[in-house]
């Protein structure tokens, strides 16, 4: 066999099929394109479905690729077994109605035996038991001895779904030797032992399976093959498993270097090292492909992988962030095929480091609480922890439920996940209920009349006034014939210029008039069919079903809304220009007074970058670019370069809003200005976090900016008068005052500390002793944390050898402090353990170093009991 590593094998494979006139396709991103059936790409053929179905054509109708893939179904087995991984590359060659079995089999054999120089005698093949054609090709054309061709049933050698294209397959196996087998002299492919390693699966898609189970031959059968790159590398390097191929070994060496733990010296730590080595490759490519950590979908897969790797780093004794260092190693060793990783290094490492840091903030506290729950369960001889406790860990401390389950499993414990899901749903329902409006709560998506409402004739893009007829009136959820003065309800008309809330843009307001009534429209909404309905309050007269009416939108309000809506498109473009193409819209609100724009981004946006974004938008506004709206097919919009929300389900015909010469092109059903000069100006007023991986920007435009500038000017004038300083000198004036204040605060702190230490001699009069250890347990009131620390250190020094425990009560808060002298700390007793047990008595928790630790408490009534327990706690903790 040739001595080739993973990168060399990939190169050889692609070159081999280039010579066989295949189109060599670079790996697609891990995010499926135009395929809602997949969360992530999990096989080489997954991105090529449209070529197999004939929707897309390729020159020569044949291709080959090395496709990066993610599979998380067996994530809990990664690291524990030596063959499961979340990240891998799949080598594959494909025929879209071009060649079939004979060529696929011949080329596979040629590549393995001639290019890879694998001895023929260690190769076995399996075929579907009814596939005589494949059996004959292997036996008569390739010359594989009959005793090395194994017939297997549907479960092993037939690929199919419930219905659709399907067919038999043939697998090539490598005999790894009897020493890896089960001992059965008749052992062969199909056995569950480790002797025969399946390296290449050739799928012959030759049938279409109907819903009734009928198999109809396809006119143009296809070939879909898959060979795991890591698996064939195992064979070529004679490695025992996927973690011991040289490329992964290089990653493991980096983990060894960071952790100080040597691989294959401790079976438990080996699991952690393998998990990190696998997960760090997965996270690198997931982030490169535009995924950022979040609480759902692809983002949650990434978040789980990062947090799982980070936690196993802790199990290896790594205290600080370490994943970016290992990611750097991944980029280095994959540089041959993926040089773009290094080009995007800063963004990738920033996202991973940011997520690891966030997890570090919650992990320690969560682990401490979970350890207590585990201890309590074991003491009570339970094999579980309560679902309520697991939910509190998740809801209050942000501790992932999958991590809870994993740690419980390591301790032979479990939790009822069904109960956990019920608690989660109850919380979501409470959240939804709290958002329901009072007066029109009945007018939600559960109202059948509104659900079934057909599409309205909306004329509001070009008009703010229209005439129509009343089709339907609802009052408190029921159909009625009329509404009287003083009553509220919903009115549906055949035609309307009122925009129904959607795409982040709020609904229009205005008036409806008939010969007998004057009606205030205070909101407008629409259903999924684009049926528009108006929330109304009758001011005068009576409105009836069938009445002719005039509908007038509040023009000034609509104008302000359109300014803000078009501004969100400008903002989106500017944010992508400044922060990168990973930025995507994650939600928006467009009202008359402000706009809110949520984006996918992994860290706080700096003031400098926000200013750059604001300048780009205002520079565009100053160029008075026209805004064009046009309808086209979804495919035409893609070719035109339109951007749309990934989650949106668009119709065949979509509305595209373009600003200037493609400065911004987006799919959008909202209302917009004719020229962006109408926006006048944009000012960003805030940037904040909505959720992990999602940032929120709020901004104002037009008249609102002018109002804010006037307010700012007035404020500056007031400050200037108050501080008796010119406006240009205000900054230096405030700095001087701040320095003076800091000096006064410092002096005051010294006086307070001195005052707090006055009573230390009195406290020392109450020294107690147990088991030869002196200790102080004392209560104080209303001390700052710094002064409490100073008093603890002072008492410890005066005590010389012993333990100090202080309880500080300030309002309804309790702080505990424990300090242990140097001769005892960590040798005889630990301050962290002492304060933890003391705080527990008041329902609190905490911990810290062997010589100094702090904790919080909850029940003030139990502080005296906690201090009285110090003696027994010391006795129980003495080593």
């Amino acid at each position: 066999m040739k001595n080739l590593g993973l990168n060399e094998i990939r190169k050889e494979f692609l070159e081999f099929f280039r010579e066989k006139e295949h189109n060599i396709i670079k790996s697609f991103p891990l995010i499926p394109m135009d395929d809602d059936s997949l969360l992530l790409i999990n096989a080489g053929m997954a991105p090529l479905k449209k070529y197999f179905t004939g929707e897309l054509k390729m020159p020569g109708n044949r291709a080959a690729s090395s496709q990066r893939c993610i599979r998380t179904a067996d994530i809990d087995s990664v690291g524990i077994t030596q063959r499961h991984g979340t990240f891998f590359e799949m080598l594959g060659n494909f025929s879209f109605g071009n060649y079939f079995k004979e060529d696929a089999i011949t080329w596979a054999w040629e590549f393995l035996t001639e290019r890879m120089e694998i001895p023929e005698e260690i190769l076995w093949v399996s075929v579907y038991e009814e596939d005589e054609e494949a059996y004959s090709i292997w036996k008569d054309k390739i010359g594989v001895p009959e005793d090395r061709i194994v017939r297997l049933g549907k479960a092993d050698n037939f690929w199919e779904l419930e219905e659709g294209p399907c067919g038999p397959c043939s697998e090539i196996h490598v005999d790894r030797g009897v020493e890896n087998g089960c001992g059965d002299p008749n052992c062969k492919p199909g056995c569950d032992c480790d002797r025969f390693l399946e390296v290449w699966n050739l799928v012959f898609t030759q049938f279409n399976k109907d819903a009734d189970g009928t198999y109809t031959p396809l006119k143009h059968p296809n070939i879909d093959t898959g060979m795991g790159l890591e698996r064939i590398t195992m064979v070529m390097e004679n490695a025992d498993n996927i973690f011991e191929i040289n490329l992964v070994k290089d990653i493991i060496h980096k983990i060894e270097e960071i952790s100080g733990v040597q691989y294959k010296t401790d079976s438990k730590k080996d699991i952690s090292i393998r998990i990190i080595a696998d997960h760090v490759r997965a996270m690198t490519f997931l982030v490169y492909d535009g995924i950022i950590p979040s609480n759902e979908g692809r983002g949650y897969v990434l978040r789980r992988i990062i947090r799982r790797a980070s936690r196993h780093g802790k199990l290896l004794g790594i205290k600080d962030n370490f994943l970016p260092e290992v990611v750097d190693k991944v980029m280095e060793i994959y540089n041959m095929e993926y040089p773009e990783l290094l080009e995007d290094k800063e963004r990738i490492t920033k996202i991973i480091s940011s997520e690891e840091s966030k997890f570090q903030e919650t992990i320690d506290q969560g682990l401490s609480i979970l350890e207590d729950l585990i201890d309590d369960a074991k003491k009570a001889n339970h094999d579980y922890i309560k679902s309520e406790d697991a939910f509190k860990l998740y809801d209050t401390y942000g501790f992932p439920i999958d991590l809870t389950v994993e740690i419980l499993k390591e301790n032979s414990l479990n939790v009822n996940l069904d109960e956990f899901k019920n608690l989660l749903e109850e919380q979501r329902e409470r959240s939804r209920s709290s958002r329901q409006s009072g007066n029109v709560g009945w007018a939600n998506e559960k109202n059948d009349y509104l659900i079934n409402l057909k599409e309205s004739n909306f004329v509001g893009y070009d008009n703010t006034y229209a005439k129509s007829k009343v089709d339907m009136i609802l009052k408190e959820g029921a159909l009625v014939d009329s509404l009287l003065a003083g009553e509220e309800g919903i009115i549906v008309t055949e035609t309307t210029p009122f925009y129904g809330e959607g795409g982040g843009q709020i609904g229009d307001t205005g008036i409806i008039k008939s010969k007998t009534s004057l009606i205030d429209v205070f909101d407008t909404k629409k259903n999924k069919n684009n049926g528009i309905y108006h929330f109304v309050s009758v001011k005068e007269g009576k409105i009836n079903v069938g009445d002719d009416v005039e509908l007038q939108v509040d023009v000034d309000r609509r104008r302000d809304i359109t300014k803000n809506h078009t501004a969100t498109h400008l903002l989106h473009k500017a944010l992508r220009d400044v922060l990168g193409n990973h930025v995507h819209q994650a939600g928006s609100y467009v009202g008359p007074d402000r706009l809110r724009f949520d984006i996918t981004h992994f860290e706080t946006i700096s003031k400098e970058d926000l200013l750059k974004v604001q300048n780009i938008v205002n520079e565009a506004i100053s160029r008075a670019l026209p805004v064009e709206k046009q309808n086209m097919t979804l495919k035409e919009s893609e070719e035109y370069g339109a951007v749309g929300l990934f989650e949106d389900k668009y119709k065949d015909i979509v509305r595209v809003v373009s600003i200037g010469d493609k400065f911004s092109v987006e799919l959008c059903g909202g209302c917009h200005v004719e020229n962006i000069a109408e926006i006048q100006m944009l000012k960003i007023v805030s940037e904040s976090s909505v959720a992990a991986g999602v940032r929120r920007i709020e901004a104002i435009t037009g008249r609102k900016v002018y109002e804010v500038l006037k307010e700012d000017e007035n404020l500056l004038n007031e400050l200037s008068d108050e501080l008796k300083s010119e406006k240009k000198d205000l900054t230096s004036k405030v700095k001087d005052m701040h320095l003076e204040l800091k000096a006064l605060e410092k002096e005051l702190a010294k006086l307070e500390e001195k005052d707090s230490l006055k009573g230390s001699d009195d406290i020392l009069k109450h020294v107690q002793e147990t088991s030869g250890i002196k200790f102080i347990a004392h209560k104080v009131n209303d001390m700052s944390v710094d002064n409490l620390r100073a008093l603890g250190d002072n008492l410890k020094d005066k005590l010389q050898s012993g333990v100090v425990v202080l309880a500080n009560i300030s309002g309804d808060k309790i702080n505990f402090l424990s300090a242990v002298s140097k001769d005892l700390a960590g040798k005889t007793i630990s301050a962290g353990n002492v304060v933890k047990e003391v705080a527990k008595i008041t329902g609190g928790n905490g911990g810290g170093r062997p010589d100094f630790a702090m904790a919080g408490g909850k029940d003030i009534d139990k502080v005296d009991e906690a201090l009285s327990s110090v003696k027994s706690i010391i006795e129980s903790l003495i080593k």
Side-chain angles (χ1 to χ4, degrees):
M1 287 190 288
K2 283 186 176 179
N3 182 21
L4 297 176
L6 183 143
N7 285 318
E8 292 78 16
I9 294 170
R10 184 199 298 113
K11 184 179 178 182
E12 287 277 353
F13 178 88
L14 297 177
E15 187 56 39
F16 176 84
F17 280 101
R18 191 191 307 276
E19 293 168 8
K20 305 297 182 188
E21 300 179 343
H22 285 61
N23 296 289
I24 305 304
I25 302 172
K26 190 167 178 66
S27 176
F28 285 85
L30 289 166
I31 301 175
M33 294 185 290
D34 303 323
D35 186 355
D36 293 338
S37 67
L38 283 178
L39 188 67
L40 293 162
I41 293 298
N42 60 4
M45 61 78 62
L48 302 171
K49 285 182 182 177
K50 289 188 177 181
Y51 293 101
F52 284 109
T53 61
E55 293 175 65
L56 295 176
K57 296 293 182 185
M58 182 178 291
N61 285 323
R62 54 175 69 174
S65 68
S66 180
Q67 175 62 47
R68 54 187 184 268
C69 303
I70 295 283
R71 291 182 188 171
T72 58
D74 297 315
I75 193 170
D76 291 331
S77 298
V78 173
I80 296 172
T81 72
Q82 300 195 347
R83 59 189 176 86
H84 285 99
T86 55
F87 175 82
F88 62 96
E89 285 186 78
M90 185 66 79
L91 302 172
N93 58 291
F94 313 97
S95 164
F96 315 115
N98 183 270
Y99 60 84
F100 200 46
K101 291 182 188 178
E102 185 168 329
D103 285 332
I105 290 172
T106 302
W107 289 334
W109 190 258
E110 181 185 343
F111 178 76
L112 292 176
T113 60
E114 296 182 22
R115 279 295 177 95
M116 296 292 99
E117 298 179 3
I118 297 175
E120 292 185 14
E121 58 270 20
I122 68 169
L123 294 177
W124 289 58
V125 295
S126 64
V127 296
Y128 176 50
E129 58 192 359
E130 297 178 12
D131 190 355
E132 296 299 335
E133 182 184 4
Y135 187 91
S136 176
I137 294 169
W138 282 117
K139 173 177 167 290
D140 300 328
K141 179 170 177 58
I142 304 301
V144 177
E146 288 187 74
D147 61 356
R148 295 213 308 272
I149 306 174
V150 181
R151 295 179 185 267
L152 296 173
K154 263 194 172 185
D156 294 293
N157 278 72
F158 197 95
W159 184 88
E160 66 180 340
L161 300 172
E162 290 297 319
E163 57 182 293
C166 60
C169 54
S170 180
E171 297 175 332
I172 303 175
H173 304 257
V174 173
D175 183 354
R176 303 177 71 204
V178 293
E179 65 274 14
N180 292 296
C182 55
D184 184 345
N186 297 314
C187 181
K188 55 184 146 184
C191 180
D192 289 333
C193 73
D194 292 330
R195 177 174 173 178
F196 293 94
L197 177 70
E198 180 252 305
V199 292
W200 206 339
N201 188 13
L202 317 178
V203 180
F204 313 128
T205 312
Q206 64 188 85
F207 301 113
N208 187 69
K209 182 183 177 184
D210 297 331
D212 61 1
T214 302
Y215 295 91
T216 306
L218 294 171
K219 288 183 181 178
H220 302 290
N222 302 313
I223 290 293
D224 162 25
T225 85
M227 174 163 60
L229 179 54
E230 288 80 4
R231 282 199 177 190
I232 189 62
T233 305
M234 275 175 59
V235 174
M236 301 307 295
E237 292 183 355
N238 195 28
D240 287 340
N241 55 71
I242 61 172
F243 294 98
E244 295 186 12
I245 62 175
N246 288 330
L247 180 143
V248 181
K249 272 185 181 177
D250 287 345
I251 299 171
I252 286 176
H253 290 331
K254 187 66 181 177
I255 298 166
E256 288 177 321
E257 177 188 318
I258 296 169
S259 65
V261 176
Q262 190 174 346
Y263 186 53
K264 287 208 161 180
T265 57
D266 182 313
S267 59
K268 279 193 175 181
K269 290 184 176 178
D270 286 351
I271 291 172
S272 293
I273 290 173
R274 287 195 289 266
I275 286 171
I276 297 167
D278 170 82
H279 286 11
V280 79
R281 289 183 294 149
M283 68 180 74
T284 301
F285 283 99
L286 284 167
V287 174
Y288 171 72
D289 284 333
I291 299 168
I292 63 173
S294 69
N295 282 332
E296 57 189 15
R298 301 178 182 92
Y300 185 68
V301 172
L302 174 58
R303 167 159 288 165
R304 186 181 181 192
I305 284 170
I306 293 174
R307 291 184 166 190
R308 201 165 184 261
S310 179
R311 186 238 166 184
H312 279 278
K314 280 192 166 294
L315 294 180
L316 294 177
I318 305 172
K319 292 181 180 179
D320 300 319
N321 283 14
F322 73 98
L323 292 177
E325 286 186 66
V326 193
V327 167
D328 285 350
K329 191 65 180 178
V330 170
M331 292 179 185
E332 177 190 319
I333 61 181
Y334 276 95
N335 187 51
M336 180 185 291
E337 181 68 10
Y338 302 104
E340 56 269 30
L341 289 174
L342 282 172
E343 294 167 13
D344 205 11
K345 176 179 175 179
E346 183 180 359
R347 181 183 67 86
I348 294 170
T349 52
K350 261 190 175 182
I351 290 173
I352 291 170
S353 179
S354 174
E355 179 62 22
E356 188 179 12
S357 295
K358 288 172 187 170
F359 186 51
Q360 294 278 14
E361 291 170 10
T362 61
I363 187 73
D364 289 331
Q365 189 174 18
L367 280 174
S368 176
I369 294 168
L370 183 55
E371 284 168 6
D372 288 344
L373 292 171
I374 290 170
D375 288 344
D376 292 343
K378 288 181 175 178
K379 287 175 185 175
N381 290 320
H382 292 158
D383 62 355
Y384 66 91
I385 68 166
K386 293 178 182 177
S387 53
E388 293 89 344
D389 291 331
F391 180 72
K392 185 177 180 181
L393 263 177
Y394 167 83
D395 191 45
T396 306
Y397 300 99
F399 201 77
I401 183 61
D402 49 52
L403 188 52
T404 297
V405 170
E406 184 176 326
I407 294 170
L408 290 175
K409 189 176 179 182
E410 291 169 3
N411 286 273
S412 303
L413 298 174
N414 60 70
V415 63
N416 189 319
L417 288 177
D418 290 334
E419 289 181 1
F420 175 88
K421 288 172 185 173
N422 289 337
L423 290 167
L424 184 60
E425 186 53 41
E426 286 172 15
Q427 184 231 41
R428 286 174 177 163
E429 187 57 44
R430 284 193 298 272
S431 178
R432 283 192 290 265
S433 298
S434 69
R435 293 194 297 266
Q436 293 293 331
S437 57
N439 294 334
V440 288
W442 54 269
N444 58 27
E445 69 278 4
K446 294 178 183 176
N447 185 281
D448 288 339
Y449 299 116
L450 301 180
I451 288 172
N452 299 318
L453 194 63
K454 295 283 195 313
E455 183 172 3
S456 302
N457 178 28
F458 175 63
V459 296
Y461 289 137
D462 303 309
N463 302 282
T464 54
Y465 170 84
K467 291 183 177 181
S468 188
K469 188 183 290 292
V470 175
D471 269 354
M472 182 191 297
I473 299 176
L474 292 170
K475 180 183 176 184
E476 294 182 355
L479 287 176
V480 295
D481 294 326
S482 61
L483 286 174
L484 302 174
E487 293 184 331
E488 291 188 354
I490 286 177
I491 289 179
V492 178
T493 57
E494 293 175 353
T495 297
T496 181
F498 284 78
Y499 181 84
E501 180 180 332
Q505 180 177 325
I506 66 171
D508 279 331
T509 62
I511 58 171
I512 296 176
K513 291 192 295 186
S514 72
K515 288 181 180 179
T516 60
S517 64
L518 175 63
I519 300 158
D520 177 38
V521 179
F522 60 86
D523 199 3
T524 309
K525 294 189 183 295
K526 62 186 173 188
N527 67 7
K528 63 181 180 181
N529 305 320
N530 285 323
I532 296 173
Y533 45 100
H534 314 86
F535 289 83
V536 302
S537 174
V538 182
K539 297 302 178 188
E540 298 175 12
K542 178 182 179 184
I543 185 72
N544 305 294
V545 173
D547 283 357
D548 291 320
V549 291
E550 298 175 59
L551 301 98
Q552 176 65 60
V553 174
D554 182 333
V555 177
D556 288 338
R557 183 176 181 273
R558 164 74 84 81
R559 190 178 293 118
D560 287 338
I561 290 171
T562 59
K563 290 176 183 179
N564 284 335
H565 200 152
T566 308
T568 64
H569 288 220
L570 296 172
L571 196 58
H572 193 186
K573 172 68 166 69
L575 285 162
R576 287 171 69 87
D577 285 351
V578 173
L579 303 177
N581 289 333
H582 66 281
V583 168
H584 295 287
Q585 183 177 342
S588 67
Y589 166 86
V590 180
D593 57 332
R594 64 190 170 93
L595 67 90
R596 186 180 71 220
F597 198 66
D598 297 343
I599 60 165
T600 54
H601 189 56
F602 53 90
E603 64 180 354
T604 301
I605 304 172
S606 69
K607 289 180 181 178
E608 292 77 15
D609 282 343
L610 285 173
L611 187 59
K612 286 179 189 175
V613 169
Q614 184 172 279
N615 288 342
I616 289 171
V617 173
N618 285 316
E619 172 63 25
I621 291 171
S622 72
R623 285 156 50 200
L625 302 174
V627 180
E628 183 181 5
K629 306 99 175 177
Q630 52 188 321
N631 293 327
M632 58 181 74
T633 67
L634 182 58
K635 185 168 182 58
E636 286 171 339
S637 76
E638 290 171 354
E639 293 169 354
Y640 194 63
V643 175
L645 280 180
F646 182 84
E647 294 82 0
D648 283 352
K649 307 298 179 194
Y650 295 106
K651 296 182 177 179
D652 292 335
I653 301 298
V654 295
R655 185 166 180 264
V656 177
V657 177
S658 307
I659 299 173
D661 184 17
K662 292 192 176 181
F663 176 83
S664 167
V665 184
E666 295 196 31
L667 301 184
C668 184
C671 302
H672 291 271
V673 298
E674 296 300 316
N675 188 295
I676 60 174
E678 296 172 41
I679 299 170
Q680 298 168 300
M681 186 177 182
L682 175 134
K683 179 177 175 58
I684 294 173
V685 294
S686 70
E687 188 273 349
S688 60
S689 172
V690 182
V694 180
R695 308 299 301 181
R696 170 166 292 170
I697 293 172
E698 299 203 44
I700 52 177
T701 64
R703 292 183 296 177
K704 199 70 181 175
V705 177
Y706 179 64
E707 290 173 14
V708 168
L709 291 176
K710 280 199 304 182
E711 289 172 5
D712 289 348
E713 180 69 17
N714 291 336
L715 180 60
L716 282 173
N717 287 332
E718 286 179 23
L719 283 172
S720 180
D721 292 342
E722 186 68 30
L723 298 177
K724 295 180 174 56
S725 173
E726 293 291 326
K727 280 188 277 190
K728 62 183 177 64
D729 299 325
L730 279 174
T731 301
S732 59
K733 178 77 172 179
V734 170
K735 282 182 179 177
D736 290 343
M737 292 174 68
H738 182 67
L739 289 171
E740 187 178 343
L741 180 62
K742 289 286 283 184
L744 290 170
E745 286 176 346
K746 195 172 182 181
E747 186 62 32
L748 180 61
K750 283 182 180 178
L751 291 171
E752 286 179 346
E753 182 179 335
K754 188 176 179 182
D755 189 55
S756 68
L757 297 179
K758 281 181 182 178
S760 62
D761 289 337
D762 289 335
I763 296 172
L764 282 167
K765 293 175 183 177
H766 302 286
V767 173
Q768 301 176 62
E769 188 171 333
T770 182
S771 302
I773 295 176
K774 289 185 285 185
F775 71 93
I776 292 170
H778 191 76
K779 181 168 63 177
V780 295
N781 293 295
D782 299 320
M783 274 196 178
S784 68
V785 173
D786 287 341
N787 289 340
L788 185 67
R789 286 171 177 268
L791 178 59
D793 285 338
N794 182 264
L795 289 169
K796 181 180 70 172
D797 291 343
K798 289 185 176 181
L799 199 59
Q800 293 185 343
S801 177
V803 177
V804 175
V805 177
L806 298 175
N808 179 41
I809 300 174
S810 182
D812 59 352
K813 292 183 178 179
I814 312 168
N815 284 321
F816 288 103
L817 174 147
S818 176
V820 176
S821 59
K822 190 174 181 180
D823 61 315
L824 301 176
K827 303 166 187 173
T828 306
I829 195 165
S830 169
N833 293 336
V834 173
V835 83
K836 180 179 178 181
E837 295 303 318
V838 171
K840 267 187 185 179
I841 295 170
T842 65
N845 206 339
R849 305 192 312 264
D851 63 325
F852 184 88
M854 294 191 73
K858 293 180 180 178
D859 190 345
I860 291 176
D861 292 336
K862 292 192 174 181
V863 169
D864 290 337
E865 179 187 341
L867 293 175
S868 298
S869 302
V870 170
K871 179 180 178 182
S872 59
I873 288 169
I874 291 173
E875 290 170 351
S876 68
L877 293 174
I878 293 173
K879 294 181 180 179

